[in-house]
Amino acid sequence: MYDQPMLRDNALKGKTFIVTGGGTGLGRSMSKYLMELGASVVISSRKLDVLQKTADELQAETGGKALAVACDVRIYEEVEQMLQQAVDAFGQVDGLLNNAAGNFISPTERLSHRAFDTVVDIVLKGSYNCTLALGKYWIEKKISGTVLSITTTYAFTGSGYVVPSACGKAGVIALTRSLAVEWAKYGIRLNAIAPGPFPTEGAWSRLVPPGLEDDLDMKKKVPMGRVGHHQELANLAAYLMSDFSAYVNGEVIVIDGGEWLKGAGEMNVLEKVPDQLWDMMEKMRKK
Ligand code: HXC
Ligand code: NAP
C-alpha cells in the first residue's frame, strides 16, 4: 500500500514547483509524483546534463512538464535567475522544495574549515537563499506560496561524523519554524520532512564506508524492519505541497519507521532480552 500513489488525479493541476536537487535521488522521485499529479516542475542543481536527462525522462514517464535549470543554491544571483526562468516558462511559481544537500562522513577534527563551509553552505545557505528569493517574490506578487524543506532526524539529536550536515539541517528547521510564524500573514506556509533511511545512490555511496555495508545495514536500526520507499516520501511531500495541508504550518514530520526514537529510548536495548528470560523473570516475580 505504501508504495502506491496517495493523492487523487490532478490534485496539483495548474501548480508550478521548484525542486532543488531534483535531478537525482529523492528529489527526482518527489518531482515525478508532483508531475503525475498535474504540477509543472522546475528541477535544479549544479549539473545541467544530469538535470536535462531527468527532465526528459520525467516528461516521457508522466506526460507533465519539467524544466531543467542549472543553479548552485549557494549563489543568490543564480537562485534569482532560476526563479526568473521558472516564471518565464510557467507564469508563476507556487512552491519550493528545498531538497538539495551535500554531505559526507568524517571525524570532525579531520575536516578543513572549507569542508565544513561546503556542506553548511549547500544545506543551510542554499535553503535560505531559495526561501528568501521565493518569499520576496510571493510577498510582492501576493501569492500564497509554500516551502517544504528536507531535513534529517539527526538535526534533533545531533550526530557525530556528519557534524556540518547536522548543523546545517538544524538551521533549516529553525528557518522553517521561524518563517512559518512570520510569513503566515502573507499566506506563506513552511514545513519540513525528516526522513529516515531511504536508499539513494547520492546518500548511501557517501555515508556507508566500503566493506561496512552489513554492519551498517540501515534497516536493522529501524523498528519497522525496513528502509523507506520513495513513493511514501513522495506522498507526504505532495500532501505538504498541496492545499490539502493548508492548516499544517511550521511542522517537521518524521518519516523513519521509528528509527530515531529507537536510538533515543534508554531502555530500548531490552529488545535483546529473549522470551525465555522474560518467562523466567515472570516466574520469579510470581513466586
Ligand atoms: C572530508 C571532504 C570530503 C570528505 C570533500 N571534502 N569531500 N572532506 N571528507 N569526504 C572537502 C574537500 O577536501 C574541500 O576542502 C571541501 O570539502 C570542498 O570539496 P569539493 O569537492 O571542492 O566540493 P564540491 O565539489 O562543492 O562538492 C560538494 C560535496 C560533494 C558535498 C563535497 O560530496 C557533493 O557534491 N555532494 C552533493 C550530493 C550529496 O552530498 N548527497 C548526499 C546527501 S545525503 P579543502 O580544504 O580540501 O579545500 C544526506 C543524508 C542525510 O544529506 C541522512 C541520511 C540518513
Ligand atoms: P542526492 O541524490 O545526492 O541529492 C542531493 C542533490 O543535491 C543532488 O541532486 C545534487 O545535484 C544537489 N546539490 C548538491 N549541491 C548543490 C548545490 N550547491 N546547488 C544545487 N544543488 C545541489 O541524495 P538524496 O538522498 O536524494 O538526498 C535528497 C535530500 O534528502 C537531501 O536533502 C538529504 O539530506 C535528504 N535526506 C536523505 C536521506 C536518505 O536516506 N537518502 C535521509 C535523510 C535526509 P548536483 O550534484 O547536480 O548539484
Side-chain angles (χ1 to χ4, degrees):
M1 189 67 181
Y2 58 79
D3 59 353
Q4 300 299 310
M6 182 180 80
L7 292 187
R8 67 182 187 218
D9 288 351
N10 294 321
L12 298 175
K13 200 169 172 55
K15 301 272 190 192
T16 298
F17 301 124
I18 291 177
V19 182
T20 67
T24 63
L26 301 180
R28 185 193 192 284
S29 298
M30 291 187 285
S31 298
K32 181 176 180 219
Y33 189 43
L34 297 174
M35 290 171 70
E36 284 171 359
L37 292 168
S40 300
V41 171
V42 177
I43 55 173
S44 75
S45 76
R46 294 164 301 176
K47 300 187 191 103
L48 188 57
D49 53 338
V50 174
L51 291 169
Q52 195 54 63
K53 183 168 178 290
T54 298
D56 293 344
E57 288 167 0
L58 292 183
Q59 293 197 144
E61 287 165 24
T62 67
K65 287 191 186 136
L67 177 71
V69 177
C71 168
D72 186 329
V73 291
R74 293 171 287 192
I75 303 170
Y76 191 75
E77 292 70 29
E78 291 192 18
V79 172
E80 282 188 317
Q81 284 160 15
M82 166 180 68
L83 172 57
Q84 191 56 54
Q85 279 183 259
V87 172
D88 290 347
F90 297 115
Q92 176 170 314
V93 177
D94 303 284
L96 163 69
L97 215 169
N98 282 320
N99 166 78
N103 201 2
F104 42 69
I105 46 172
S106 174
T108 307
E109 68 278 12
R110 288 178 180 239
L111 294 176
S112 70
H113 64 88
R114 287 174 298 274
F116 217 113
D117 284 347
T118 298
V119 171
V120 174
D121 282 356
I122 299 171
V123 174
L124 179 54
K125 188 174 189 178
S127 298
Y128 70 65
N129 276 347
C130 293
T131 303
L132 188 63
L134 267 292
K136 285 172 185 283
Y137 156 73
W138 287 327
I139 291 165
E140 190 200 328
K141 301 284 178 197
K142 298 190 168 39
I143 295 169
S144 299
T146 186
V147 180
L148 176 63
S149 297
I150 307 299
T151 180
T152 61
T153 54
Y154 59 59
F156 316 144
T157 59
S159 174
Y161 307 99
V162 283
V163 171
S165 172
C167 294
K169 295 288 193 184
V172 171
I173 293 180
L175 177 76
T176 300
R177 290 180 171 151
S178 304
L179 289 178
V181 175
E182 190 182 330
W183 284 355
K185 61 177 178 281
Y186 302 117
I188 299 171
R189 291 186 301 125
L190 294 96
N191 290 294
I193 297 176
F198 283 74
T200 64
E201 171 64 25
W204 293 34
S205 65
R206 288 181 173 86
L207 302 183
V208 181
L212 289 186
E213 290 82 1
D214 276 350
D215 291 342
L216 297 183
D217 186 354
M218 297 284 188
K219 60 182 180 297
K220 288 188 189 148
K221 295 163 59 206
V222 179
M224 301 302 291
R226 65 173 177 87
V227 293
H229 191 289
H230 285 209
Q231 184 64 46
E232 58 194 326
L233 178 69
N235 285 340
L236 179 58
Y239 166 69
L240 291 171
M241 297 297 282
S242 77
D243 296 335
F244 292 113
S245 60
Y247 206 49
V248 182
N249 188 27
E251 193 52 75
V252 183
I253 299 185
V254 175
I255 176 166
D256 75 341
E259 183 203 27
W260 88 273
L261 290 172
K262 178 172 174 171
E266 196 169 23
M267 300 307 284
N268 288 342
V269 66
L270 293 181
E271 72 176 358
K272 295 196 187 321
V273 174
D275 279 350
Q276 300 91 311
L277 186 50
W278 286 121
D279 291 345
M280 200 182 85
M281 288 193 296
E282 193 177 338
K283 270 188 204 145
M284 286 169 63
R285 180 170 56 81
K286 285 181 178 161
K287 262 190 206 163

